[in-house]
Amino acid sequence: MNLIWRIFFTAAYLLITIFGLGPVLLADGSHTERWLALLITLGLYAVTTAGLRYVLYR
């Protein structure tokens, strides 16, 4: 069961990285738009990491 959780969270991290950091690095919008995308991406990383820690250390 632990392997399934690790695969799930690895996929989640990859999706957050591709779809979250892409707009931050490659967007041609305003700086406010980039900062907002960065804050949302960092929030998603924090929630995902908290979920991973909860699942692995319960």
Side-chain angles (χ1 to χ4, degrees):
M1 188 66 174
N2 201 7
L3 179 64
I4 295 171
W5 283 115
R6 288 179 189 262
I7 292 171
F8 172 76
F9 280 105
T10 300
Y13 278 116
L14 285 173
L15 289 172
I16 292 170
T17 300
I18 291 169
F19 293 113
L21 289 180
V24 173
L25 298 174
L26 302 174
D28 57 349
S30 66
H31 287 292
T32 306
E33 183 181 347
R34 286 185 180 191
W35 278 106
L36 183 62
L38 178 63
L39 290 175
I40 291 170
T41 302
L42 290 176
L44 287 172
Y45 275 129
V47 168
T48 305
T49 301
L52 177 63
R53 290 178 58 92
Y54 174 75
V55 167
L56 292 181
Y57 298 118
R58 59 181 168 151

